[in-house]
Amino acid sequence: SHYVTDEMLTDPDQRVTCKPHPQHTISLNYNRQWIRKFKAAGIAPFIYYYNCHALPATIERLWPGAAFRDERGRPLLKWYTEPSVYGPPGSPFAKNMIRQMDVMLQAYPELPGFFVDNFGIEMVSFAHDDGVTTIHGRPGYDLNRNHQGIGPAVFEKAHQAGRMIMINKLATIESARGADMVLTEGMSLESVRAHALACVYRPVFPLGMRVGGGTDHIERCCQNLLLVGGTPEWGFYRTDRDTMKAYRPLTDAMIGKRWVLDHPDPLTVPPGYEGQIFRIDPNAAHGDDVVVALADLGRSWKQGRLTEGLTVKVRLGEAPQLKTATWLTVERSAGQPLPCKLTLGGTELTIALPPAGAAGILRLSK
């Protein structure tokens, strides 16, 4: 890929070749055209931005000596032939990346946001010193210093211009600072869970997620995403459209979710079910609601098997303000949520559920 130059801003029809796709040339106007097409179709396109690596020739030409090196002095490659680049605040590489955000905002005034890759790669350069990192008695530079230093400075510029930031994976919770949402690409269920907690106030989007090796793995993914407040990927539709259509009304309840961390024991779920409780951000649809996700990880919605007489208990300071409750089970998700009976005892609510199946969403509203 290419950095945006002043010449491109002056002549937005200037065409360049992207190395991974040499059969095509692109220009600023070419990209602007596709941004408008996507937006007209109701899709918010994000442009790929902010690599922590570059071609060796680019590094030596623009930032000599900035390439990451291992203990033997060999280049530390982050992407094929491209080494990572030393970039703490104030360094030549950091200044370049910050300037790139300025020119990208000029180049693409209609762009909704940026996709920022490779935040989950951990690497230490022995050619540089961050003043903290030491391995085998030798000083080093932790790549997360790039994320935690340049990242927020760049993201703030995007936010001031009304753009959003999605980052790909995390190595540390600190490196999420300034990000609006997080992609978890190609991760195990355990890693998705860890990222979901790090994304406590952010949407999390697994990509390439797989749970189990059976034919029901799309349903197991959807159930586990409910339990961590995640959003399913479009690829689920290609594999099992019916299951995705059944679960989509449930996973949509995660929009604006916030983990409940201010009560030591806020939720009791029925035997055989796993559950999680969330608050919904006041600025989201259904703002200030409380949402409880339930899933029976050994059951499938395709069985059509429902259980009656189940109850859920919710303990929150705002429990007396929660006046209505509805239940939507995945087996009947094409219909309307059903009302539930509420019983209040102090700050504990007991909710009698309508028939429940493989998964469901309990919504409490003021």
Side-chain angles (χ1 to χ4, degrees), residues 90-261:
S91 67
F93 181 69
K95 291 177 180 178
N96 174 72
M97 297 313 301
I98 291 172
R99 180 181 180 278
Q100 278 297 305
M101 176 55 75
D102 289 330
V103 296
M104 289 279 272
L105 292 171
Q106 294 179 55
Y108 302 113
E110 300 177 71
L111 183 72
F114 298 91
F115 175 72
V116 187
D117 205 0
N118 293 332
F119 262 57
I121 295 179
E122 297 185 78
M123 190 176 288
V124 172
S125 173
F126 287 87
H128 308 94
D129 183 1
D130 59 26
V132 176
T133 304
T134 303
I135 298 178
H136 302 154
R138 292 180 58 183
Y141 178 86
D142 186 344
L143 183 59
N144 278 297
R145 302 285 172 180
N146 278 27
H147 303 327
Q148 297 170 20
I150 313 173
V154 167
F155 300 165
E156 179 60 25
K157 285 181 175 288
H159 290 153
Q160 289 175 357
R163 309 302 199 278
M164 299 188 72
I165 296 289
M166 172 186 273
I167 61 177
N168 186 7
K169 301 184 283 290
L170 301 170
T172 65
I173 193 170
E174 293 88 352
S175 56
R177 186 159 59 97
D180 299 299
M181 56 188 76
V182 177
L183 180 77
T184 58
E185 182 184 15
M187 290 194 161
S188 66
L189 177 57
E190 290 73 19
S191 293
V192 170
R193 287 170 174 166
H195 274 71
L197 284 170
C199 297
V200 59
Y201 289 162
R202 298 176 180 87
V204 57
F205 297 87
L207 176 64
M209 180 182 179
R210 190 175 182 94
V211 178
T215 58
D216 63 348
H217 78 94
I218 296 299
E219 179 161 18
R220 299 300 168 236
C221 286
C222 289
Q223 288 177 320
N224 279 281
L225 287 178
L226 287 174
L227 298 174
V228 298
T231 300
E233 61 165 290
W234 68 275
F236 288 178
Y237 278 102
R238 293 187 303 170
T239 305
D240 191 340
R241 180 175 293 270
D242 290 340
T243 292
M244 193 58 246
K245 288 178 66 177
Y247 272 87
R248 180 64 185 269
L250 277 64
T251 58
D252 277 358
M254 297 297 111
I255 296 173
K257 66 93 176 61
R258 302 288 184 262
W259 288 75
V260 173
L261 302 176

Side-chain angles (χ1 to χ4, degrees), residues 283-298:
N283 296 307
H286 307 289
D288 290 324
D289 282 1
V290 172
V291 168
V292 174
L294 295 181
D296 180 343
L297 301 178

Side-chain angles (χ1 to χ4, degrees), residues 24 59 62 81 128 151 159-160 168 180 290 293 323 346 349 363:
H24 299 293
I59 297 173
L62 298 178
T81 63
H128 308 94
H159 290 153
Q160 289 175 357
N168 186 7
D180 299 299
V290 172
K323 303 299 185 182
L349 282 170
R363 182 180 296 278

Side-chain angles (χ1 to χ4, degrees), residues 15 32 37 74 92 97 116 128 134 183 209 213 284 303 310 316 320 342 344-345 361:
R15 302 190 76 85
R32 289 168 181 169
K37 286 182 178 180
R74 298 171 299 188
M97 297 313 301
V116 187
H128 308 94
T134 303
L183 180 77
M209 180 182 179
Q303 297 168 346
L310 302 180
L316 293 173
L342 290 169
L344 177 65
I361 291 291

